Amino acid sequence: MDSTRRDRDEEGRARNARPRDGLGRPLPYGAEGVERQPEGVVRTPDESVREAQRLLDSGMPFHAHEVLEDAWKSAPEEERELWRGLAQLAVGLTHAARGNTAGGARLLLRGADRIAPYAHRPHGIDVAGLVAWARSLAERLDGPVDPSARAPRLRG
C-alpha cells in the first residue's frame, strides 16, 4: 500500500482499512482480523441493546461501542446522552481491557455520569446497575481486565 495515500470508503471518506483485533486495535495489513461493525446502521433501541450485549458478552466492547454510537447518532434528542454514555462505558471497558487504566477509568466515570439522569430505565436499561458497575470498575482498575468477564449487563 502506498503510505502517502489514505484508505477511503466508497464515499471517499478517510477510513483505515487495516484489519482490527477484538479490541479494535489495528493489525498489520494482510493479517486476519475481527470483522468490523458496519457504520451508520439504524436499529431499534431493543435491537441496539441486544446487539451491544452480544458483543460485550463476546469480549468485544470496541464493537459494542460502535453499535451504541450508531444508536446515539440516530436517537431522538432527549435520548442522545443516554446512548452516548452507554457508548462511553463500552469504550471505557475497551481501554481497561487494553491496559489503559487511567483512560478506561475516565471514560467509565464520564459514561456513568452521562447516563445517571436516566434512572427511569428507558428501554429496560438498568441505568442504576450500570452506574454502579462503571464506578466500581473504575475505582479498582490496576491493569488489563478480561472484557468478557467484566462485561456489564445492560438490562440487569
Side-chain angles (χ1 to χ4, degrees):
M1 164 137 208
D2 177 4
S3 63
T4 62
R5 293 183 42 207
R6 297 179 76 185
D7 297 329
R8 303 271 175 194
D9 65 13
E10 295 81 28
E11 285 88 39
R13 292 183 302 242
R15 293 277 187 246
N16 189 326
R18 286 174 59 184
R20 304 268 176 167
D21 71 6
L23 292 175
R25 293 175 291 214
L27 298 170
Y29 285 103
E32 189 166 329
V34 173
E35 188 173 337
R36 297 175 89 161
Q37 288 297 117
E39 291 183 48
V41 176
V42 177
R43 299 173 179 88
T44 67
D46 190 55
E47 291 168 336
S48 294
V49 170
R50 272 199 320 267
E51 181 63 5
Q53 188 68 64
R54 183 187 71 76
L55 292 162
L56 288 165
D57 292 344
S58 297
M60 297 185 352
F62 177 81
H63 296 79
H65 148 265
E66 292 179 327
V67 168
L68 295 165
E69 188 174 274
D70 281 343
W72 157 32
K73 291 176 179 178
S74 64
E77 186 65 37
E78 64 274 7
E79 289 186 2
R80 286 207 178 127
E81 290 302 291
L82 168 70
W83 296 104
R84 184 176 179 195
L86 293 171
Q88 287 175 322
L89 295 180
V91 83
L93 181 56
T94 300
H95 281 277
R98 291 176 178 174
N100 176 3
T101 57
R106 265 193 313 276
L107 283 161
L108 288 165
L109 294 173
R110 190 177 303 151
D113 289 346
R114 188 159 269 132
I115 68 171
Y118 295 89
H120 60 282
R121 294 182 59 103
H123 311 294
I125 297 168
D126 182 12
V127 171
L130 289 168
V131 167
W133 166 84
R135 290 182 177 153
S136 175
L137 182 56
E139 285 176 12
R140 294 181 284 128
L141 280 180
D142 60 2
V145 300
D146 177 343
S148 59
R150 299 311 314 252
R153 301 300 310 159
L154 299 175
R155 289 193 167 138

